[in-house]
Amino acid sequence: MERTKESKSVTIGKSRQEVSDFWADPLIFKEVLDTVDLVQNIGQDSFQISLKNIGNKFAMKISQKNQDIVVYLLEGKNLDGKITVEFKDAPSGRGTEVRLIADGNLVVFLGGSMSEQVPECLRKSKQLIETGEIPTTKGQPHGPSVW
Amino acid sequence: MKAVCWYGSTDVRVENVPEPKITNPHDAIVRVTCATICGSDLHLYSGLVPTVEKGDIIGHEFIGEIVAVGPEVKRLKSGDRVVVVSVIACGKCSYCKDGLWSLCDNSNPNAVQQEKVLGYSTAAIFGYSHLFGGYAGAFAEYVRVPFAENSAFKVPSDLPDEKLVFISDSVPTGYMGAENCDIKHGDTVAVWGSGAVGLFAMKSARMLGAEKVVAIDRFQWRLDKAKEFCGAICVNYENENVIDVLKDITAGRGPDKCIDAVGMEAHTTGLGDLYDKAKQAVRLETDRPHVLRDAFISCRKGGTVSILGVYAGLVDKVPFGALFNKALIIRSGQMNGQKYAPMLIDKLIKNELDPSFVVTHRMKLDQTPEAFKIFRDKRESCVRIILRP
């Protein structure tokens, strides 16, 4: 299995408490990733994640969570890695700097290359935390396609 | 429902498409009662804006009535008559909170695409390419309005659509262009372009205290409007040397403030016009910067050039030396309509502002393909066309 590491950051205009609480709930992955179908709590900080389409299930465990960092460990078929989310106060009251580090073989979980999906994941989390929704144009009207 | 869809350069068609639905909690659906073709729609029509796809519904300047709202929309309800600002903004990010609504961090679902071109993403705009979000536009019977509480402004029932519709885009664009000039008493403001946005920039410059306003265009009927409604001194650049005339009007000083209300499809005279058209045609540049060139050279030392005409990408041979050595101040940007709409609506209610003087044509939505031709070719003394479903 190919192991890669991707690290990206974003500033979210909310307090560190609010942002870290959001990221400490694994349901966020169902919101920000198109791949996740179901997140089930199966024990103390342990979860089972079901993926769409391929029916793959895997285990996710929170190994650390506080206002500075949340660490998720992931293990399953064709999937093995760690997602670390670090939080820092942004300067001048601009909210919270969030750094997401994906390390391992996580392509199945993220639904694409880590270099594309990590920033997209962060962007969606910012949209969700700041506005309460992820903007989309899915399902909107469109004229007939022509060749 | 009927909607105007883009199918290629100079190819727009009225098609039957499904009606929009509430998708997100902050959405509203608006029944469009009136829309207008903006000068920037011509850039789409000419095929100069990248990432427009076949079948995309275009149009961004409109007014209508709310027919449905999402569960998180509290300040609006079905039946409200609203004018909708063309820029879509979340209202929650740091840019929106600072009044820079057109720089919203969150409203553009295609932010990745835009970051590759601009470095950072900006706000989405209705019906204005996938680079600007890919949202369906307003040349339709109904339109979905994301983050509706930030974009849709209630308006009184006794004011006609033709006065209000321009609050959606053209009037705040003109106002912002003038406000960005930081106009002082006694200033001379030169405005390139006497289309609706240019005319509104002239009116705004007057409102903000300009002593002289100079209108620069090539169409006499537009210059006549600038003279009649904005008290402008008129310069037809096909007959006069703009730089010489501006110097003369200001007794050798040059205009204090210059406003580019033309943008990427500017025209000029002589070989310069052919040069840029040829480069644009073969994609060696995306925009024709004639106005920028003239403005940078004409503007007085230490003056301000305010750019409100739309530019898409790359320009060639802009006299950056003039900008630098004359210490010019450059202000620019898509308009922050949400910041200005309440004030401008108030002026309309008090009868201190009437933008309807730009309306020259009234047509049905079904006639939009013909309307685009009239507007692009400046036929029939066209300034602005009102479309009704």
Side-chain angles (χ1 to χ4, degrees):
Chain A
M1 286 191 291
E2 188 189 350
R3 295 187 66 87
T4 51
K5 189 171 181 177
E6 188 68 34
S7 169
K8 286 282 182 297
S9 62
V10 72
T11 300
I12 297 179
K14 294 280 184 182
S15 71
R16 189 133 63 104
Q17 179 75 61
E18 287 172 278
V19 175
S20 59
D21 282 353
F22 223 95
W23 272 103
D25 183 348
L27 276 174
I28 193 170
F29 291 113
K30 187 169 160 49
E31 301 283 353
V32 301
L33 293 175
D34 291 335
T35 53
V36 176
D37 186 35
L38 202 60
V39 178
Q40 288 175 289
N41 192 334
I42 55 172
Q44 179 69 31
D45 285 336
S46 294
F47 304 88
Q48 186 178 67
I49 309 289
S50 304
L51 297 182
K52 291 175 188 166
N53 303 325
I54 54 176
N56 195 1
K57 290 183 179 178
F58 64 91
M60 174 185 270
K61 188 173 174 59
I62 299 177
S63 70
Q64 194 180 355
K65 62 174 175 183
N66 55 50
Q67 276 193 41
D68 297 326
I69 191 167
V70 176
V71 180
Y72 289 97
L73 303 175
L74 297 83
E75 195 176 345
K77 189 182 172 189
N78 297 325
L79 194 144
D80 170 32
K82 181 166 83 169
I83 290 176
T84 305
V85 195
E86 297 171 348
F87 312 102
K88 201 166 81 172
D89 290 338
S92 309
R94 280 182 275 194
T96 305
E97 293 178 359
V98 182
R99 177 165 293 280
L100 193 154
I101 306 156
D103 185 5
N105 176 25
L106 297 169
V107 172
V108 174
F109 177 53
L110 296 173
S113 78
M114 295 202 348
S115 62
E116 287 179 4
Q117 293 305 313
V118 167
E120 194 57 16
C121 193
L122 274 176
R123 184 190 324 281
K124 285 180 177 173
S125 76
K126 175 181 166 73
Q127 291 169 331
L128 190 62
I129 295 169
E130 287 188 348
T131 77
E133 68 173 63
I134 297 172
T136 182
T137 56
K138 280 181 189 163
Q140 72 175 8
H142 194 268
S145 296
V146 292
W147 294 96
Chain B
M1 68 169 183
K2 286 179 189 168
V4 178
C5 303
W6 183 94
Y7 281 96
S9 178
T10 69
D11 182 4
V12 296
R13 306 173 196 170
V14 181
E15 298 282 0
N16 281 307
V17 304
E19 290 181 8
K21 293 183 173 62
I22 298 286
T23 309
N24 273 9
H26 300 95
D27 289 353
I29 304 296
V30 168
R31 180 177 66 81
V32 179
T33 55
C34 177
T36 173
I37 305 175
C38 176
S40 58
D41 288 320
L42 285 181
H43 309 322
L44 301 179
Y45 185 70
S46 302
L48 295 174
V49 177
T51 75
V52 190
E53 295 175 7
K54 288 183 194 312
D56 283 350
I57 301 170
I58 59 175
H60 59 262
E61 194 162 6
F62 64 106
I63 182 171
E65 179 189 328
I66 290 184
V67 294
V69 295
E72 292 299 323
V73 177
K74 309 297 181 195
R75 294 201 301 270
L76 300 166
K77 62 182 188 311
S78 290
D80 286 345
R81 186 180 185 222
V82 289
V83 62
V84 182
V85 170
S86 62
V87 164
I88 301 167
C90 79
K92 299 285 170 51
C93 71
S94 61
Y95 290 98
C96 289
K97 285 177 180 172
D98 284 346
L100 301 168
W101 300 80
S102 70
L103 305 181
C104 175
D105 263 343
N106 291 318
S107 65
N108 189 341
N110 296 328
V112 174
Q113 211 174 2
Q114 213 187 35
E115 281 174 0
K116 287 175 184 163
V117 181
L118 305 181
Y120 296 89
S121 70
T122 64
I125 298 174
F126 289 99
Y128 208 76
S129 83
H130 290 259
L131 211 55
F132 285 90
Y135 289 103
F139 294 160
E141 292 178 90
Y142 296 90
V143 61
R144 172 187 160 229
V145 178
F147 299 114
E149 287 188 341
N150 303 317
S151 302
F153 291 84
K154 286 190 218 177
V155 288
S157 58
D158 58 341
L159 284 173
D161 282 351
E162 289 187 13
K163 287 189 179 184
L164 287 163
V165 68
F166 299 104
I167 301 295
S168 174
D169 188 305
S170 308
V171 173
T173 301
Y175 189 87
M176 181 170 134
E179 188 187 68
N180 277 348
C181 286
D182 191 19
I183 292 167
K184 302 280 193 297
H185 182 69
D187 274 356
T188 296
V189 180
V191 181
W192 276 259
S194 297
V197 168
L199 291 166
F200 296 144
M202 293 173 210
K203 277 204 90 79
S204 302
R206 280 260 179 250
M207 278 162 46
L208 293 168
E211 184 174 305
K212 286 182 193 167
V213 171
V214 184
I216 301 151
D217 205 295
R218 63 184 169 138
F219 297 109
Q220 195 55 47
W221 74 88
R222 291 187 170 202
L223 289 170
D224 290 344
K225 277 205 185 283
K227 187 176 181 183
E228 181 183 352
F229 292 96
C230 313
I233 301 164
C234 298
V235 180
N236 187 325
Y237 68 79
E238 288 188 332
N239 303 331
E240 298 174 280
N241 181 304
V242 173
I243 295 163
D244 288 348
V245 173
L246 288 174
K247 203 172 253 187
D248 191 54
I249 287 169
T250 56
R253 298 187 305 275
D256 304 284
K257 313 288 156 65
C258 294
I259 297 177
D260 174 358
V262 178
M264 63 192 283
E265 287 192 83
H267 297 267
T268 186
T269 53
L271 284 176
D273 198 48
L274 293 174
Y275 171 83
D276 279 290
K277 279 181 178 162
K279 289 202 79 167
Q280 193 178 42
V282 295
R283 298 286 195 252
L284 285 172
E285 66 178 349
T286 54
D287 310 347
R288 306 196 298 259
H290 304 303
V291 171
L292 292 182
R293 291 177 189 139
D294 273 5
F296 286 3
I297 297 295
S298 305
C299 193
R300 76 155 165 85
K301 293 178 282 185
T304 299
V305 176
S306 169
I307 304 164
L308 54 87
V310 170
Y311 287 87
L314 304 173
V315 296
D316 185 26
K317 293 188 170 49
V318 170
F320 212 83
L323 182 157
F324 174 77
N325 288 298
K326 292 200 297 176
L328 299 180
I329 299 163
I330 306 297
R331 301 291 303 274
S332 63
Q334 298 278 2
M335 59 93 195
N336 302 306
Q338 285 84 349
K339 177 180 169 184
Y340 303 109
M343 176 271 291
L344 294 168
I345 292 167
D346 190 51
K347 283 190 179 296
L348 269 167
I349 292 168
K350 290 176 178 164
N351 213 20
E352 295 170 2
L353 176 70
D354 180 1
S356 62
F357 71 94
V358 300
V359 178
T360 52
H361 291 65
R362 294 162 183 86
M363 298 174 79
K364 301 293 286 181
L365 189 67
D366 286 330
Q367 298 172 289
T368 305
E370 176 60 14
F372 263 100
K373 285 179 191 160
I374 292 170
F375 190 45
R376 180 198 58 182
D377 298 339
K378 312 290 185 290
R379 280 159 33 194
E380 304 166 17
S381 301
C382 182
V383 177
R384 267 302 173 97
I385 299 173
I386 290 290
L387 299 170
R388 290 185 188 278

